[in-house]
Amino acid sequence: MSKKNIAIFASGSGSNAENLIMYFNNTNTAKIKMILTNNHNAYVLERAEKHKIKSNVFSKEELNNTNKIIDLLLENDIDVIILAGFLLKIPQNIIDNYENKIINIHPALLPKYGGKGMYGDNVHKSVLENNENLSGITIHHVNNNYDEGNIIFQATCKVNKDDSIEALAKKIHELEYKFFPLVIDSFLKTL
Ligand code: GRF
């Protein structure tokens, strides 16, 4: 199997992006070829620089109303797109070119706690407010609607009554770091 080229879209810290970069540096299945972000202050840009991965910053307008991003993906021979904390909706032209090849990670057990506005701490806050006993991660394909693509994988963690948002976020991140690279790697083998 030839090495696949992956582009990661991220809007914030990018700890998952960095975890994926390190994982795929040690495999021959794929390479993280570029990091794309809509946020010029995103810490993920520093992580990209540290690992000498090409990065690109674009505006919402460029994403939605120009061919800048699709051209960049095609020019770089990107096979698979990974969303890791990316907060904008992926436009139709990218979805059409990458049918079933865009994967997102969501920090809760979809279909609950998904949809517009449900990201980061908002998700964990709602889970805690609803006294859920379980939360977890969902890795899924991306389609036209937020958080509604086919689910590939879920893993759960216990939520304790006295968990803070930070404590829950930490448990979720641990699941993400453990499973996201493995799930992507097995997905690549199906291509
Ligand atoms: C993760 O919890 C991910 O599930 C969600 O956004 C968070 C991103 O964290 N979509 P980081 O930027 O990878 O640290």
Side-chain angles (χ1 to χ4, degrees), residues 12-17 84-86 104-107 120 124 172-173 176-177:
S13 162
S15 66
N16 276 286
F86 183 63
N104 182 43
I105 188 159
H106 187 78
H124 307 314
I172 298 287
H173 264 126
E176 294 182 333
Y177 301 152

Side-chain angles (χ1 to χ4, degrees), residues 26-117:
N26 293 316
T27 70
N28 53 14
T29 48
K31 176 180 167 37
I32 307 301
K33 196 153 182 206
M34 59 195 314
I35 302 284
L36 293 143
T37 183
N38 60 309
N39 174 7
H40 67 272
N41 289 318
Y43 188 65
V44 73
L45 290 169
E46 289 181 40
R47 298 188 199 262
E49 200 179 326
K50 177 170 136 199
H51 292 278
K52 303 194 170 23
I53 308 285
K54 200 161 26 172
S55 60
N56 194 281
V57 183
F58 54 84
S59 65
K60 187 174 178 181
E61 153 73 21
E62 285 174 322
L63 176 67
N64 292 328
N65 301 326
T66 74
N67 285 328
K68 173 177 168 169
I69 303 306
I70 188 67
D71 288 350
L72 208 55
L73 295 169
L74 298 174
E75 276 159 22
N76 281 280
D77 296 322
I78 297 301
D79 300 298
V80 170
I81 297 173
I82 302 296
L83 310 183
F86 183 63
L87 299 185
L88 300 180
K89 201 167 165 179
I90 295 295
Q92 193 65 47
N93 65 341
I94 298 183
I95 291 188
D96 289 344
N97 271 276
Y98 285 90
E99 209 185 336
N100 291 321
K101 290 185 180 155
I102 312 177
I103 292 177
N104 182 43
I105 188 159
H106 187 78
L109 297 172
L110 291 175
K112 287 173 101 174
Y113 305 104
K116 203 168 160 58

